[in-house]
Amino acid sequence: MNIVVCIKQVPDTETQIKIAGDGKTIATDDIKWVMNPYDEFGVEEALRIQKAKGGEVIVVGAGPKRVTESLRTALAMGADKAVLIEDDGLYGADPLAVAKILAAAVKPLSPDIVFLGMRAVDDDAGLVGPALAEFLDMPNLSVVTKVEVGEGSVTVQRPVEGQTLVLEASLPAVISAQKGLNEPRYASLPGIMKAKKKPLEVKTLADLGLDKAGKAEIAALTPPPARAAGKTISGETAQELAANLAKALREEAKVI
Amino acid sequence: MAGVWVIAEQRDGAFRKITFEAVSAAKKVADGLGTEVTAVVLGSGLEAASADLGKYGAAKVLYADSPELAVYSTEGYAAAVADLAKASAPDAIIFGASMQGKDLAGRLAAKLDTSAAVDCTALAVEGGKIAITRPIYAGKVYAQVAINAAPQIITLRPNVFDIVETGGSAAVEKVSPALGAIRVKQVEVLAEEGGKIDLTEAMIIVSGGRGMKEAANFSILEALASQLGGTVGASRSAVDAGWRHHTDQVGQTGKVVTPNLYIACGISGAIQHLAGMGSSKVIVSINKDPDAPIHTKADFCVVGDLFEVVPALTDEIKK
């Protein structure tokens, strides 16, 4: 069973995001780049399935050269090979264009399963998984917390509002990972040493015969809307604090 | 102008609240563009309910009645909507950024060779075009997005757009779009324990963090939430400590929530958490540390011991 995991490199979630001088992109000078946390669940699940079923795990990333570090992290966790579609302009590109580019890189690998995170914690879109599935003509299973691989099929659990759906799909399929799927392993020191020698193929958009021109663009970035200054609730005892808070919520905020 | 479309979301034969939010928001956009709203209803036995969408501003309903559409599937819905849209070429297709909508957007955009903006918090019409606002980096920054293709696919964050009853009525037209292969089957539905309201749909959330000290202490938050008709959330540290299930996590690697009232108890306010709840309408912080960053985000700050204040607040609400 061959498994591809698509990974994105994103700013660490601790990062204070600042808007760059062009007003359209973020300032990248102070950013620690990491593998998207949801993609880590995908890598982990792929490695667990590989252990049970055999086959290869190939990680695919798209973006500037720095994405190599995240691909090496996945290799250090245990993936066999990596492919980087290297292009400086891909970070922040239209997710639909990225999905098309990933599809072109993934297709020749003929995977049985494609994993990725259910969304990246930067653009928070979650568009790439279902779009990639469409471009690859595969079914998609989004935001899953449990995966069981059968013969030519896969069964997953997908939590939605107030219930969890059990879905079954034929393979090959695209599966996007949600927190709760597993506990991703850390790369071991021997793993990190081995990763340096594992194959990492670099491709360009020209190799894939595609460009990154998308149909959606960010016209401007703005800081989040400012909130009015808060009010400190007064009171000497817990009872007074609670009474004054309840009064404020009823009479001022009118939310209860 | 071929109009603004809304994809209605239904579960078990009833429209979900986000459907009315989406029709109301689409009506405003359609008015700005000088066009009309068409609602697309996919399901079974929904003809009578479909006409009701006129109340919120839909002029027309395209209703596909098929047992294959009774339960949502990405492929079935994407194929049906794409088939209908190719024939009518709408300017925009708007629906909820619910679990269903978030799943549908990418596949539909790929099918229609366009792009999508998801989880949007504001829509405006400027110079005959739809100006879209959506938070990114979990709300640390807001993006103004333009989609330079048609149809523009736009999904709306739940509980952000007001439901407006315009009192119109909609003409229902039955349609039979091509569905193609549906390779995913829903084999079972597991109910959430106690019919808990999902955090993304909750109007009131009482959330606990590291200050809760242990799992059992969440019972005081459950009591307050139950009194308020709300639901309980948690910070990442509470989830990582194993005190709450990961589906309760609010923040950048959990759920982004927009309730009317968010009560943060014993939560210090890490940047990832503030990002996830910062657009709640009213925020209350209860934390004994006066310097906790959560207080800077709150509308009402209570500097006090949550183990005393929360039960006292529950008693006050009962009064």
Side-chain angles (χ1 to χ4, degrees), chain B residues 63-64 83-84 174-178:
Chain B
Y63 174 44
D83 192 37
L84 296 169
K174 284 206 173 185
V175 290
S176 307

Side-chain angles (χ1 to χ4, degrees), chain B residues 284-309:
Chain B
V284 172
S285 56
I286 302 176
N287 196 309
K288 63 183 176 195
D289 176 6
D291 297 322
I294 189 78
H295 290 311
T296 65
K297 274 271 177 177
D299 301 289
F300 300 105
C301 313
V302 178
V303 179
D305 184 347
L306 74 94
F307 294 104
E308 293 174 13
V309 175

Side-chain angles (χ1 to χ4, degrees), chain A residues 13 38 94 119 122-124 137-138 140 142 161 164 166 168 179 215 217 219-220 222 227 231 233, chain B residues 11 99 103 107 115 134 137-138 140 142 144 148 183 185 187-188 190 249 253-254 278 280 299 301:
Chain A
T13 55
Y38 292 107
D94 179 5
R119 65 176 158 87
D122 49 6
D123 67 6
D124 294 331
D137 189 24
M138 291 183 191
N140 68 287
S142 298
E161 297 88 354
T164 297
V166 182
E168 192 185 287
K179 186 170 183 172
K215 295 185 164 76
E217 57 168 349
T222 55
R227 292 188 79 94
K231 177 179 165 180
I233 299 292
Chain B
R11 187 187 281 178
M99 291 300 289
D103 177 57
R107 190 141 202 150
S115 193
R134 61 179 300 262
Y137 298 92
K140 292 175 189 170
Y142 278 56
Q144 312 299 318
N148 305 313
R183 293 167 285 188
K185 260 196 321 218
V187 290
E188 202 184 343
L190 312 171
Q249 187 181 323
T253 51
S280 303
D299 301 289
C301 313

Side-chain angles (χ1 to χ4, degrees), chain B residues 48-75:
Chain B
S50 293
D52 277 353
L53 295 176
K55 271 192 220 160
Y56 307 94
K60 190 173 158 186
V61 175
L62 297 178
Y63 174 44
D65 189 325
S66 162
E68 281 186 282
L69 294 170
V71 169
Y72 168 79
S73 70
T74 327
E75 290 171 291

Side-chain angles (χ1 to χ4, degrees), chain A residues 2-172:
Chain A
N2 290 328
I3 305 174
V4 165
V5 188
C6 296
I7 65 174
K8 185 176 187 183
Q9 194 184 43
V10 298
D12 184 279
T13 55
E14 294 279 349
T15 311
Q16 292 276 7
I17 299 295
K18 294 187 200 86
I19 299 168
D22 66 359
K24 290 181 181 190
T25 57
I26 60 163
T28 53
D29 36 340
D30 233 1
I31 288 179
K32 181 186 165 204
W33 296 94
V34 298
M35 190 195 310
N36 176 40
Y38 292 107
D39 298 344
E40 289 183 17
F41 302 121
V43 174
E44 177 64 34
E45 199 65 15
L47 293 172
R48 290 183 189 194
I49 294 170
Q50 180 193 37
K51 197 173 176 201
K53 307 256 172 190
E56 262 192 334
V57 174
I58 305 170
V59 287
V60 177
K65 196 168 189 67
R66 58 173 161 73
V67 176
T68 309
E69 294 158 35
S70 293
L71 291 169
R72 290 276 177 215
T73 303
L75 292 174
M77 287 170 76
D80 301 296
K81 288 193 226 168
V83 178
L84 170 66
I85 304 139
E86 191 184 329
D87 189 286
D88 285 346
L90 275 180
Y91 189 71
D94 179 5
L96 268 293
V98 173
K100 199 173 266 184
I101 289 162
L102 288 172
V106 168
K107 196 162 194 164
L109 305 173
S110 309
D112 298 289
I113 300 178
V114 180
F115 278 111
L116 35 63
M118 62 104 165
R119 65 176 158 87
V121 296
D122 49 6
D123 67 6
D124 294 331
L127 288 165
V128 168
L132 176 64
E134 175 65 24
F135 291 131
L136 290 170
D137 189 24
M138 291 183 191
N140 68 287
L141 299 156
S142 298
V143 195
V144 312
T145 54
K146 192 175 178 192
V147 175
E148 278 176 77
V149 180
E151 287 303 318
S153 70
V154 63
T155 306
V156 304
Q157 289 193 5
R158 160 172 160 84
V160 298
E161 297 88 354
Q163 49 187 219
T164 297
L165 309 177
V166 182
L167 304 174
E168 192 185 287
S170 56
L171 291 177

